[in-house]
Amino acid sequence: MSFLHFLNLIIKNLKWLILIPIILAATIYYFTRHEKKVYASESTIYTGIASGYSLNGAIKADFYATSNAFDNLLSLIQSRETKLDVAIGLLAEHLSLPKHNPEVLTWGAYDDLSKLIPDSVRKAVVKPTIAQTRAAIMAYMNSSADNPIYNLINSKAAYYSISALNNIQSTRINSSDLIKVSYETNDPFICKRTLELLEQTFVEKYKALKEGQTGSVVEYFEEQTKKAFAKLDSVERIFLEFNKNNDIINYYEQTKAVAGEKENLYALNHSLEMDEMASSKSLDKVNESIKGRVYQSLYSSDIINEREKLSDVYNKIATTEILNKDNTGKKQLDSLKTVANSLENKIRNSLTQLNIESNTPNGIPTKNVLDEWLKTTLAFEQSKAKLTVMDKRKKEFTEEYRKFAPLGAILKKIERQISVSEQEYLQLLHDLNLAKLSQQNTELTSKLNVVDPPFLPLKPNASKRMILVAVGFIAGFVVVLSVILGHALINKTLLEPARALKIVDLPLLGLYPLLNDNPKFLEKADLRLLQQLLAKVNPQEKPVYLGFISTQKGEGKTTIIDVLEKELVGLNYTVERQLLLPTVEYRQLGITMPLTLAAHQWEWDGERTLAERRGKDFVLIEFPALDKTVIKPGSFPPLNQAVLVCRANRIWDKRDKEMVSIFTRTTGSKPSFVLNGVETDFAEEYIGEVPKKRNAFRSFIKKIVKFEFGNRKAIRRGLN
């Protein structure tokens, strides 16, 4: 479809394109005559989400975290629970009014509320304070699913229903920290108060939500920290009792001291053993040299008693020296040494007396031998006494080692438990501090500040009535235009020559417009059809037989023959018309005819010969519709040109194609077709412009549409 055809289609249906949209617009205008005035208010809230500060300094920008935070906040504003709290709060305030207050709501809103809530319900829920009234309304609403308040909240009523509060709009202002909340309703006072209640409600909910998140975390870490501290304290008590029970001050220092003492003890023991052995050998040699009466005197009871006493004192001295290295028993040691000196002197005196009485058998002076014996005996007794004490000390060290050996493993286990418990406690304490810091930070950052509070709208919004009327008109125009274009696009008729050529699949002889077109245009169409016909035949072959056929009745064969006959006669051609009726029509006329054209073969030959004798130039033969005719092969009269006439406003289907194909096969003549009844818009392309007066504007528009530029008068002269 070309643009010109589109414009012509619009012009043809212009009355519907104007009438229906006007009716629709008028209907909308009528039904919106009682449109209520709408008041709008808005508020701006600062959130600090994107560029606020925390206890740790400036918050680092995170697009996804910021976007998520704003989504949560906007979802909280639009949540049903928030709107329910607002509706309950607004209803509580209005029900608590003893009479109409023009500064709270208009009379119309007050009157509507009185009709929605019966007096019995009002008396049941109204309490001394607004908070108590809110609680009573909530309890009454939840008492059943069929009470006035529940029905009001879940209805579509203005002001107090969830549906009405869905008009609340909340958006983030660009990429800032600001949120704009707006609301529209029919009452300016309720509009403002609704926004105020909304801000109070969702700010409290947001704060409780943010603090609740960190509060639960803090409670968890506080509980876990207390448990960890109790566990650590319990293990430390075990450690303390263990040290008390085992006399441990510092296990590792004590074991180190014991180990060092052991090494010294064994070294000293080894030295004492060597001294004792040396003293024993020396004493044996001295005893060998004083055998006889001197020996007996030396080992008499007095000297032996003194020697045993001295040995006992030496044992005590050795014990005191070994066990009291820090000089704590110095007095006792000095006393023992004094006793030892006294005993040594007694033994020396006894030996001096013995020296006077005798000499040694070997002639050695007794004094020298006795001095040597005394020296050796004293050294031997001292060594023996120290070894005795050393043996006892070694046993004590063995017991000490047996005691300290298992204590180390147990102590290590207890210390490991203390270390693990301490680390756990310290980590939980650290996490608790972080949670508390986060809690404090949340309390600081969760505060929403209203920077632009709601205002009282004094003027209603501009009416949308005219916009609705305009939209209705445009919608009506679009719908009608869509129907027209849809009908044109889904039209399956032959319609115009270009489409007919593709569908019929036969050579196009010409076309003829609708008969109700401009008479001058019809004259041009007659001329154009004659030109196209003469281009197909040779008038020198007299007579020229033209057969006009159609697949159905009423295609316009007679009209086309009339046009051609008139035009041929106007060119001084002699024309003869012949009409062949189908058998059924012959019978209707009372004429007996055969069922097929075969019986007419001789008659056709006769007619042809007669026409030739008469000297006719053209013979125009109109045949009956092919759907009512049976043609026997070889019986159809020879034609110079077969013309198939088709209506442009009909659908060409497979049956038509099949009939044309049968005609071509049985007659040996392939017809050309004439498209009859073509609309002027399509006919103009083949016939020429419709000759009529057009104003300058229409002529200009048509030139623009056809891309025809220039002035014909500038190149035309005279009659040329």
Side-chain angles (χ1 to χ4, degrees):
M1 179 184 295
S2 66
F3 185 63
L4 181 61
H5 296 156
F6 171 76
L7 290 180
N8 289 328
L9 188 65
I10 296 298
I11 293 172
K12 286 182 180 179
N13 296 276
L14 189 60
K15 62 179 181 179
W16 300 113
L17 287 169
I18 296 176
L19 182 61
I20 292 179
I22 289 176
I23 293 174
L24 184 59
T27 303
I28 294 174
Y29 184 82
Y30 176 78
F31 283 106
T32 57
R33 66 187 186 279
H34 299 304
E35 181 186 20
K36 293 184 178 180
K37 296 180 179 180
V38 177
Y39 296 86
S41 182
E42 63 183 31
S43 176
T44 305
I45 301 169
Y46 176 78
T47 63
I49 293 175
S51 60
Y53 282 81
S54 67
L55 295 177
N56 297 326
I59 298 176
K60 184 178 180 181
D62 186 337
F63 173 78
Y64 294 103
T66 301
S67 177
N68 182 63
F70 273 103
D71 289 343
N72 292 339
L73 182 57
L74 295 177
S75 298
L76 181 62
I77 295 174
Q78 295 295 339
S79 68
R80 177 182 173 83
E81 190 68 23
T82 301
K83 293 176 181 177
L84 178 61
D85 289 346
V86 173
I88 296 295
L90 189 65
L91 185 60
E93 291 182 358
H94 292 174
L95 288 177
S96 299
L97 294 174
K99 62 179 181 179
H100 172 244
N101 186 347
E103 295 182 357
V104 176
L105 74 170
T106 60
W107 171 255
Y110 183 80
D111 186 55
D112 291 341
L113 179 61
S114 300
K115 295 176 182 178
L116 292 171
I117 304 297
D119 290 338
S120 59
V121 177
R122 182 192 292 263
K123 292 178 181 179
V125 298
V126 174
K127 303 298 179 182
T129 64
I130 296 296
Q132 293 174 343
T133 303
R134 287 171 61 100
I137 292 174
M138 184 67 73
Y140 188 90
M141 183 190 69
N142 294 328
S143 62
S144 68
D146 187 17
N147 58 68
I149 293 180
Y150 183 88
N151 294 334
L152 176 61
I153 295 296
N154 293 280
S155 68
K156 292 186 178 180
Y159 316 130
Y160 312 105
S161 66
I162 301 296
S163 177
L165 294 179
N166 286 335
N167 289 329
I168 295 173
Q169 302 294 327
S170 57
T171 55
R172 181 184 179 187
I173 302 177
N174 299 327
S175 299
S176 67
D177 285 320
L178 301 176
I179 286 179
K180 183 176 74 173
V181 183
S182 60
Y183 181 53
E184 293 182 353
T185 190
N186 307 124
D187 191 305
F189 304 99
I190 294 179
C191 180
K192 177 188 176 185
R193 185 55 184 162
T194 300
L195 283 180
E196 291 174 347
L197 290 174
L198 175 71
E199 289 174 350
Q200 295 174 9
T201 300
F202 87 80
V203 166
E204 292 175 359
K205 286 183 176 292
Y206 181 73
K207 183 177 180 181
L209 181 64
K210 295 290 287 184
E211 293 179 357
Q213 293 175 350
T214 56
S216 58
V217 175
V218 170
E219 291 177 1
Y220 168 78
F221 280 116
E222 284 180 344
E223 182 181 356
Q224 295 300 317
T225 302
K226 289 179 181 178
K227 291 181 180 180
F229 179 77
K231 182 179 179 182
L232 176 61
D233 184 65
S234 175
V235 178
E236 287 180 340
R237 288 180 181 276
I238 294 173
F239 179 74
L240 180 61
E241 292 297 325
F242 180 81
N243 286 343
K244 285 182 179 180
N245 295 334
N246 295 279
D247 298 326
I248 297 175
I249 299 175
N250 189 323
Y251 175 78
Y252 301 102
E253 291 296 330
Q254 286 180 263
T255 53
K256 182 178 180 182
V258 169
E261 191 71 23
K262 180 182 176 183
E263 292 180 1
N264 296 333
L265 183 64
Y266 275 84
L268 181 59
N269 182 69
H270 182 67
S271 177
L272 290 174
E273 286 178 347
M274 293 176 64
D275 291 344
E276 191 269 342
M277 187 176 293
S279 299
S280 176
K281 294 294 185 181
S282 298
L283 185 58
D284 289 341
K285 288 183 179 181
V286 172
N287 286 333
E288 284 292 332
S289 63
I290 59 173
K291 286 183 179 180
R293 187 171 62 83
V294 177
Y295 182 81
Q296 293 176 355
S297 298
L298 284 174
Y299 288 91
S300 63
S301 59
D302 293 337
I303 295 177
I304 293 301
N305 290 334
E306 296 297 332
R307 180 180 175 183
E308 289 177 356
K309 291 179 181 180
L310 183 61
S311 177
D312 184 55
V313 173
Y314 281 157
N315 285 335
K316 292 179 180 181
I317 292 173
T319 302
T320 303
E321 289 179 346
I322 292 174
L323 298 180
N324 298 288
K325 292 185 176 181
D326 54 354
N327 296 325
T328 56
K330 187 174 184 303
K331 292 182 179 180
Q332 183 182 1
L333 183 61
D334 291 341
S335 177
L336 290 173
K337 288 183 177 180
T338 301
V339 174
N341 290 332
S342 177
L343 291 174
E344 288 177 1
N345 290 330
K346 286 181 180 182
I347 294 174
R348 286 192 181 93
N349 292 333
S350 298
L351 290 177
T352 301
Q353 187 63 34
L354 183 60
N355 181 39
I356 295 172
E357 295 177 355
S358 61
N359 291 324
T360 63
N362 298 325
I364 301 174
T366 304
K367 180 175 174 48
N368 295 336
V369 175
L370 291 177
D371 290 340
E372 183 65 27
W373 178 85
L374 177 61
K375 180 180 178 182
T376 305
T377 299
L378 292 176
F380 175 73
E381 291 298 333
Q382 288 178 352
S383 299
K384 186 172 66 171
K386 290 182 179 180
L387 283 174
T388 301
V389 175
M390 191 61 67
D391 289 339
K392 181 180 179 181
R393 186 60 178 160
K394 286 170 62 179
K395 290 180 181 180
E396 292 176 356
F397 266 93
T398 302
E399 293 298 326
E400 191 77 11
Y401 260 78
R402 288 178 182 176
K403 174 184 176 182
F404 271 85
L407 293 181
I410 298 173
L411 192 62
K412 192 70 175 178
K413 179 180 179 181
I414 296 174
E415 289 177 345
R416 185 166 56 250
Q417 291 177 347
I418 291 175
S419 177
V420 172
S421 300
E422 185 180 18
Q423 290 298 323
E424 181 181 3
Y425 171 72
L426 292 176
Q427 182 62 44
L428 288 171
L429 188 62
H430 174 70
D431 294 339
L432 176 61
N433 291 331
L434 290 179
K436 287 184 176 180
L437 181 64
S438 178
Q439 184 181 40
Q440 294 297 321
N441 185 63
T442 301
E443 291 179 0
L444 292 175
T445 58
S446 62
K447 293 180 181 179
L448 303 178
N449 298 320
V450 179
V451 296
D452 187 8
F455 59 88
L456 179 65
L458 299 178
K459 294 183 180 180
N461 294 346
S463 176
K464 297 180 181 179
R465 188 181 185 190
M466 298 311 298
I467 296 177
L468 293 175
V469 171
V471 170
F473 182 88
I474 294 172
F477 182 85
V478 170
V479 170
V480 174
L481 181 61
S482 300
V483 172
I484 293 172
L485 292 178
H487 179 268
L489 293 174
I490 65 175
N491 186 1
K492 294 184 179 181
T493 61
L494 296 178
L495 189 62
E496 50 97 8
R499 182 191 290 187
L501 273 171
K502 296 179 181 179
I503 298 175
V504 177
D505 196 23
L506 290 174
L508 177 65
L509 178 63
L511 58 86
Y512 200 76
L514 293 170
L515 293 177
N516 57 0
D517 278 340
N518 188 303
K520 293 184 179 180
F521 185 65
L522 291 178
E523 291 178 1
K524 293 179 67 174
D526 297 344
L527 179 62
R528 183 72 63 227
L529 183 62
L530 178 62
Q531 291 172 342
Q532 292 166 336
L533 175 65
L534 293 178
K536 287 283 186 180
V537 300
N538 185 6
Q540 302 301 324
E541 298 178 0
K542 298 182 179 181
V544 176
Y545 285 88
L546 302 177
F548 294 85
I549 63 175
S550 64
T551 59
Q552 299 177 6
K553 185 178 179 181
E555 299 287 337
K557 297 189 295 292
T558 302
T559 300
I560 298 301
I561 291 174
D562 290 343
V563 169
L564 292 176
E565 181 183 11
K566 183 187 72 171
E567 294 298 324
L568 289 172
V569 170
L571 293 176
N572 297 322
Y573 286 112
T574 57
V575 181
E576 180 177 333
R577 294 181 60 170
Q578 296 181 6
L579 174 65
L580 180 63
L581 299 176
T583 303
V584 176
E585 294 187 7
Y586 273 114
R587 289 176 181 175
Q588 291 175 350
L589 296 174
I591 303 173
T592 302
M593 292 295 292
L595 295 178
T596 67
L597 291 175
H600 282 281
Q601 184 66 41
W602 297 105
E603 295 181 20
W604 278 110
D605 290 343
E607 290 292 336
R608 183 181 181 89
T609 303
L610 182 61
E612 290 175 355
R613 287 200 303 267
R614 293 175 180 173
K616 300 296 182 180
D617 296 316
F618 289 90
V619 178
L620 308 180
I621 307 170
E622 181 180 351
F623 291 94
L626 295 179
D627 62 349
K628 296 182 179 180
T629 304
V630 178
I631 302 175
K632 185 177 180 180
S635 63
F636 199 81
L639 299 173
N640 295 91
Q641 179 67 47
V643 180
L644 174 67
V645 180
C646 307
R647 283 184 293 110
N649 62 348
R650 61 162 295 186
I651 297 176
W652 187 266
D653 54 25
K654 291 183 179 180
R655 184 172 60 91
D656 296 299
K657 288 184 178 181
E658 183 65 22
M659 284 188 287
V660 172
S661 177
I662 292 173
F663 175 82
T664 302
R665 292 198 302 269
T666 55
T667 64
S669 176
K670 184 176 182 179
S672 300
F673 77 96
V674 173
L675 190 62
N676 189 22
V678 179
E679 294 182 4
T680 306
D681 301 338
F682 300 105
E684 277 188 324
E685 295 182 4
Y686 294 85
I687 297 173
E689 190 177 85
V690 177
K692 61 181 179 180
K693 288 190 73 175
R694 295 181 176 86
N695 56 43
F697 178 75
R698 289 193 62 184
S699 300
F700 176 75
I701 293 298
K702 190 166 186 179
K703 289 179 180 180
I704 293 297
V705 171
K706 295 175 67 176
F707 295 98
E708 181 180 329
F709 304 100
N711 188 357
R712 297 180 187 176
K713 295 180 181 179
I715 59 174
R716 187 174 58 190
R717 182 177 181 181
L719 296 176
N720 294 330

